[in-house]
Amino acid sequence: MSPVSKAARWRSQLIAAAVLVVLWNLFYGQFSVGNLIGGALVALVVITVFPLPPVAFEGRIRPLAVLRFLGRFVVDLFAASAQVAWAAVRFGHTPRSAVIAVRLRVRTDLNMTLTGEALSLLPGSLIVEADAATGTLYIHVLDVTDQGGVERAREKVLALEARIVRAIGSADEVRQLDVPAPRQATVR
């Protein structure tokens, strides 16, 4: 991975500052000159005290793949919500859960972050730990009853990673998806 240029670092800092200013104004419920100035001051302090690490984005955005990812994410969101609701209201059923380790095929910080965030937004799954050195996410999954359920959960995570990489990854990262994932043990 090539080092991040000074211009790219400035651009990412400016984008972060703009997002912070918008969030500041949304928290106050209105856009005003005072809120814009206050948000800019808060953003300046936050970015100075807590600087963002350099993240190189070498991918490209593929609009059709982004739409595929978003469409499937919405379907997964509704399906997971229904499964969690059913597990909660089933009479006499005690949901079992597991913590599984999933080694991602594309081991970049950006991929781990995006996959982890998307996964955490789906009901019934939660990131417990992320190991950047090995590219492994440890995920708590709800209502897993056997090893087959663990494998299905692992396959869903890898499929989610693949959709994200195909939507915004580099050509090299997309090629990495063709490498089969290694066998992984279940953590209980």
Side-chain angles (χ1 to χ4, degrees):
M1 184 182 298
S2 60
V4 180
S5 70
K6 195 169 191 168
R9 284 200 66 142
W10 273 102
R11 185 175 54 244
S12 68
Q13 296 290 344
L14 286 174
I15 291 170
V19 168
L20 288 171
V21 169
V22 169
L23 287 174
W24 183 264
N25 282 271
L26 289 174
F27 288 144
Y28 276 96
Q30 67 180 7
F31 284 90
S32 67
V33 174
N35 284 342
L36 288 174
I37 292 170
L41 291 174
V42 168
L44 179 67
V45 169
V46 167
I47 288 174
T48 303
V49 175
F50 305 107
L52 294 171
V55 175
F57 177 69
E58 296 174 359
R60 62 178 259 235
I61 297 174
R62 297 172 188 87
L64 188 59
V66 169
L67 289 175
R68 253 187 247 122
F69 164 75
L70 291 174
R72 179 59 192 260
F73 184 78
V74 169
V75 169
D76 288 348
L77 185 62
F78 282 107
S81 297
Q83 289 170 348
V84 169
W86 178 245
V89 299
R90 271 176 47 193
F91 183 72
H93 174 70
T94 303
R96 293 182 56 199
S97 60
V99 175
I100 62 172
V102 180
R103 182 169 292 154
L104 301 178
R105 291 165 290 188
V106 178
R107 295 183 185 170
T108 64
D109 289 341
L110 182 61
N111 181 53
M112 283 191 71
T113 301
L114 293 176
T115 302
E117 288 296 328
L119 198 58
S120 291
L121 290 172
L122 295 173
S125 61
L126 179 70
I127 302 299
V128 177
E129 185 178 344
D131 185 355
T134 63
T136 303
L137 293 176
Y138 294 91
I139 305 154
H140 178 270
V141 290
L142 185 64
D143 210 17
V144 174
T145 57
D146 58 6
Q147 187 62 29
V150 169
E151 290 305 318
R152 284 189 298 277
R154 186 173 286 120
E155 289 169 9
K156 286 181 181 179
V157 172
L158 292 173
L160 176 66
E161 175 201 21
R163 287 190 297 273
I164 290 171
V165 170
R166 285 190 173 93
I168 63 161
S170 67
D172 183 50
E173 292 169 345
V174 172
R175 280 192 295 277
Q176 290 176 31
L177 295 175
D178 295 332
V179 176
R183 296 290 301 157
Q184 300 167 7
T186 303
V187 182
R188 294 246 178 199

